Amino acid sequence: MLIVQKFGGSSVADAEKVRRVAGIIADTYCEGHDVVVVLSAQGDTTDELLEKAAEINEKPSKRELDMLLSTGEQVSVALMAMALEKMGLPVVSLNAWQVGLSTDSNYGNARIRKISGERLRRELDKRRIVLFTGFQGINRYDDITTLGRGGSDTSAVALAAVLRADLCQIYTDVEGVYTTDPRKVPSAKKLDEITYDEMLELASLGAKVLHNRSVEMAKRYGVNLEVLSSYVRAPGTKVKEVVKQVEQMRISGVAKDAEIVSIAIKGVPDEPGVSFKVFRALAQAKINVDLILQSVGHDNTNDISFTVARADKDEAMRVMEKVVETMGAEGVAVDEKVAKISIVGAGMVSGSGVAALMFEALYDEKINIRMISTSEIKISVLIDERYADQAVQAIHNKFFGK
Amino acid sequence: MLIVQKFGGSSVADAEKVRRVAGIIADTYCEGHDVVVVLSAQGDTTDELLEKAAEINEKPSKRELDMLLSTGEQVSVALMAMALEKMGLPVVSLNAWQVGLSTDSNYGNARIRKISGERLRRELDKRRIVLFTGFQGINRYDDITTLGRGGSDTSAVALAAVLRADLCQIYTDVEGVYTTDPRKVPSAKKLDEITYDEMLELASLGAKVLHNRSVEMAKRYGVNLEVLSSYVRAPGTKVKEVVKQVEQMRISGVAKDAEIVSIAIKGVPDEPGVSFKVFRALAQAKINVDLILQSVGHDNTNDISFTVARADKDEAMRVMEKVVETMGAEGVAVDEKVAKISIVGAGMVSGSGVAALMFEALYDEKINIRMISTSEIKISVLIDERYADQAVQAIHNKFFGK
């Protein structure tokens, strides 16, 4: 098999961790597989480099920032190569221009355009372990770019796609994808399998295991992903197109997102086009809206509520205050003490009882639901932030048992 | 003018020093010159990277070591670019593959083969300051190489040669080339000019200002060098083919080298071929021999003495013990307490009184001369290490006054 393995910065933070990861790579290679490894910069390297830059220039050009930051991954791959050399294994480290990973010119957040893969294949043909610098690419000016958040995951999936790898393993601090946050809910269960779509929903709902860009790319190119631990040698969670349905009413997980706020516009005149005006204004400000609720107010007016990311709060309020003025609404208010609780599952559409079961769990706990939103594979509710953990626990118990 | 400037690692060791050097670069640029800057890795970066490597593998491959070490210069150029950006100046940092600096494949000590210079000229045509990563190149496999000791000086001279620069400035911790070590001899004088050949002799005699490789390259391509200080804004020392003869009996400097040992083979049979056998054995072991003395011993035997670098002592002794055995000499002894004192000057050949003046200075101090060696532009003597500084002072006084 050809296996692409990706290890994050904390997995290679010091010499001891580098050796541990070298052990995982060596075992995979010695089982007879071809191995391509994608590494991030060691531990806090990227932050340290950013600090160095900030000391000199608070607003450096992104081009030079990428020139600076890309050194971090090069250090990682060189050190890992040395660890594998010490074990007597054939290995070669390669950076973005050696591999021919082309991106657009969006410094700091570049998109992968093409991977030549020629050198990669030549090295694999020699039965060498190939170590590749994640997070970085080369644009058409021969300048170095970086891929932004989740960049190394994306590099790994892109290499797996180009090489038609049999498996792309993403090694992390956790043992896989769980039905909910195991630090909060001890009965959380590790999933053996999950679909790309479920993974995408879970990631956007706050599960920090995989970055959406990499999952989207994996789905597009049919790359078989596995999320597993750098520390515990055990199978992780496979992410793929279709998974076996183990039960009728299948859900994959319960997620909490408290990084949102709810904004309410009160006393909107009940006439055509008002919703359009509100959400067009938000779209123009490039603010993503999540849950939406339109409710009947008094005196022929409506209330419109919606949630946005906490980071967008100020900008959203600024935009809304203008909108309120032009459309003659009563006013706008923000509620920061809210949380969104979601369940995700590809089997949801077939099992209509899923929503009922979720609402029952909340009713049992006397937790009030303020908004509801559903999709093919997801149901989200907005509740008071105080009850968020309690709600996750109750819903998880209802679906997965205590 | 097109000026190439090179700054060493200590000149860019921290944010404040980076800003100071940025000031020098900015001034040069704002005087209307085209500027190409070659930088080394910051301060102790290279040593820190070597330590990291040693923690993982005491004997890493040189290929991976070069992959690791080359990141240091990339950090330097990116940070310097940010400092110049902050001053509002147009700047771009480039690494070895972006500039197209090709070397052979001798990792860790590669020789420059070719510099494409195309990108460099394009950036200069845009009136950008170009910052280039010293010390590194790319071989024909597209792998990263480093140039070994004095590599950044060599990079600077090579760029100056390719671009036909008007001047190549090497910025260091000292204000130029001195007639002797100014920390030891306060009356040491800074030279305005020195020839390539004199500089080569001085460098090989322990003056650490410029590495010989870079001076050799400058001589070959007729690059005008200037050695000057990163800290004091003053003209330095120009290194060129011919300099003005200011006095009849001109010497450029007095140098001391204590990093040598003297090895003596006693009781060598007085027959043809013995010297040949001794020095062939050393040559085969790749040990450079400096001063040589053959003296008449007793009972039809001779003594052969020579000096080697202190670092080669053990290997030289190992080789000599074998030689002594096969040729039936009495034995071999090493003297570590010796120093070589040299005077260098292009005017020496014309002024035959130079040697006499040097010996007179030593005689005045009652310092015994053990060996003598002369060349076109140099006279070296071997003396007891204890009197080395005294000898330098006395000779310097004799030629340059107190």
Side-chain angles (χ1 to χ4, degrees), chain A residues 154-170:
Chain A
T154 309
S155 305
V157 174
L159 285 192
V162 163
L163 297 170
R164 299 179 187 283
D166 299 283
L167 182 60
C168 180
Q169 296 183 314
I170 309 287

Side-chain angles (χ1 to χ4, degrees), chain A residues 50-69:
Chain A
L50 283 171
E51 251 173 61
K52 276 198 170 198
E55 258 191 279
I56 287 169
N57 187 337
E58 325 64 67
K59 253 185 119 52
S61 70
K62 288 183 176 176
R63 194 257 180 209
E64 295 299 338
L65 210 49
D66 284 357
M67 185 82 168
L68 180 73
L69 294 182

Side-chain angles (χ1 to χ4, degrees), chain A residues 19 42 52 55 57-58 61 63-64 67 74 82 85-86 93 97-98 119 141-143, chain B residues 19 42 52 55 57-58 61 63-64 67 74 82 85-86 93 97-98 119 141-143:
Chain A
R19 273 191 288 268
Q42 290 190 292
K52 276 198 170 198
E55 258 191 279
N57 187 337
E58 325 64 67
S61 70
R63 194 257 180 209
E64 295 299 338
M67 185 82 168
Q74 194 164 316
M82 294 172 190
E85 281 172 355
K86 193 170 158 115
S93 70
W97 71 269
Q98 289 169 327
R119 170 106 193 234
Y141 306 110
D142 275 354
D143 285 345
Chain B
R19 273 190 288 268
Q42 290 190 292
K52 275 197 174 201
E55 257 191 276
N57 188 338
E58 321 69 64
S61 70
R63 193 257 178 207
E64 296 299 337
M67 185 81 169
Q74 194 164 316
M82 294 173 190
E85 281 173 355
K86 193 170 160 117
S93 69
W97 73 267
Q98 288 169 328
R119 170 106 192 233
Y141 308 109
D142 274 355
D143 285 343

